[in-house]
Amino acid sequence: MTPNHDPAGPEPLFELVRPDCWAGGVIFASPHSGRDYPEWFLSESVLDPHVLRSSEDAFIDRLIAPAVAAGAVTLAARVPRCIVDLNRGADELDPAVVQGAGATSPDPRIRSGLGVIPRVVAQGRVIRRGKLTSAEAARRIDRFWRPYHAALGALMDEAVARHGRAILIDVHSMPREALSHLQGPRPDIVLGDRNGASAAPAVSDGVHRALAAAGFSVRRNSPFAGAHVAAAYGRPQRARHVVQIEIDRSLYMDEATIRPHSGYAGLAARLARVFAALARMRDAGDGLPMAAE
């Protein structure tokens, strides 16, 4: 394990774990499972730590960990999403959160309080009173956001250089209520590739097939098609593929207590088989185009 340490503090910012042999340029990332809450943040928040955790993709870092044994790299954030959201652009600033951030953005995520420095956690609960200074916003982005993305960008470059392609599986979890508006059976997993813009069809279809073979019901690009990570790193024409998967939290945890329930072990075993299959995509004659660079 190779953790990156914050030069301004003792806590590691993320955990980057490499296999003994990287099978084929596949990376599993979890940008929203961070749960290291510093005292300075807890003291400024009007919410208790348990409520703050409602924004986490809890336990996703643990669920992707077995992919390393199958030959994939894993990258998991340590910083909580409610401090800095690593699946947003550094410029996605909410003027209701940051002084001088400019006019209200047309982006519905920012308007709803989910910019790079969030205003709210789940169910629209406001994190703090008042606004942050622009200097504090910049400090958080420099301290937490940039190192994670520097590491992710370097991994994508390395995968292309070593294997001719990079396949990033960006793993998230979704509240059960996020699917309440859907008609018909709710999917276990929503697969997002920005409607084909962030990954070649062969990659997205391969991920879909692996999930379906493990018994998961899968929906594509609705209601989650992918956010900043997919948009920033998905360049299938350059053999850089990003597929986002959102897993229904109720399959493995009690959302009220934020604890694994009796279904956790079974789901973890199924996902481990899926992730092992995806880690070997490069060696499976998948027919994906090699990088031109």
Side-chain angles (χ1 to χ4, degrees):
M1 181 181 297
T2 309
N4 181 80
H5 289 276
D6 175 12
E11 72 274 15
L13 300 180
F14 53 78
E15 290 182 353
L16 168 59
V17 187
R18 294 176 176 272
D20 293 335
C21 178
W22 195 358
V26 179
I27 304 157
F28 289 85
S30 174
H32 286 165
S33 58
R35 53 185 176 274
D36 290 352
Y37 291 86
E39 286 300 324
W40 60 262
F41 178 76
L42 293 175
S43 66
E44 76 171 24
S45 176
V46 298
L47 302 176
D48 67 56
H50 184 80
V51 174
L52 289 170
R53 291 197 65 198
S54 66
S55 277
E56 288 178 22
D57 288 348
F59 313 115
I60 292 296
D61 53 340
R62 300 181 192 177
L63 290 170
I64 67 173
V68 175
V73 171
T74 62
L75 177 67
R78 298 287 296 269
V79 60
R81 179 185 187 181
C82 56
I83 296 178
V84 171
D85 191 331
L86 302 174
N87 199 25
R88 299 289 182 265
D91 60 348
E92 292 187 57
L93 295 171
D94 183 349
V97 172
V98 180
Q99 295 174 7
T104 301
S105 168
D107 189 312
R109 292 191 302 255
I110 297 177
R111 289 203 310 270
S112 65
L114 298 176
V116 64
I117 299 178
R119 174 164 43 90
V120 299
V121 296
Q123 301 175 13
R125 291 168 288 192
V126 175
I127 295 170
R128 68 184 67 80
R129 295 187 182 90
K131 296 184 181 183
L132 299 179
T133 65
S134 59
E136 171 60 14
R139 184 191 72 83
R140 294 191 189 187
I141 290 168
D142 289 343
R143 181 175 178 180
F144 299 111
W145 190 96
R146 296 194 192 283
Y148 180 88
H149 283 279
L152 181 55
L155 283 173
M156 295 291 283
D157 290 344
E158 182 184 351
V160 171
R162 291 178 57 179
H163 304 285
R165 69 199 70 179
I167 299 174
L168 171 62
I169 312 297
D170 202 46
V171 188
H172 300 257
S173 67
M174 55 187 174
R176 181 69 172 172
E177 67 178 17
L179 305 178
S180 61
H181 65 288
L182 299 179
Q183 295 183 351
R186 299 182 186 183
D188 299 322
I189 291 175
V190 175
L191 183 157
D193 63 2
R194 298 187 67 82
N195 296 294
S198 69
V203 175
S204 297
D205 292 347
V207 176
H208 192 155
R209 284 194 302 272
L211 291 166
F216 293 106
S217 58
V218 181
R219 184 181 177 101
R220 301 278 283 263
N221 289 306
S222 176
F224 306 108
H228 173 75
V229 168
Y233 296 96
R235 298 289 184 271
Q237 70 278 10
R238 297 174 55 201
R240 298 165 184 262
H241 310 274
V242 181
V243 175
Q244 176 180 286
I245 64 172
E246 293 267 4
I247 304 167
D248 182 348
R249 292 176 187 168
S250 68
L251 295 176
Y252 67 92
M253 63 175 272
D254 181 313
E255 295 184 66
T257 62
I258 317 180
R259 293 179 179 175
H261 59 45
S262 60
Y264 179 91
L267 178 108
R270 291 166 68 196
L271 285 175
R273 292 193 293 271
V274 170
F275 294 162
L278 297 180
R280 295 190 293 266
M281 285 181 74
R282 174 62 182 86
D283 299 323
D286 49 44
L288 298 178
M290 302 296 284
E293 53 195 281

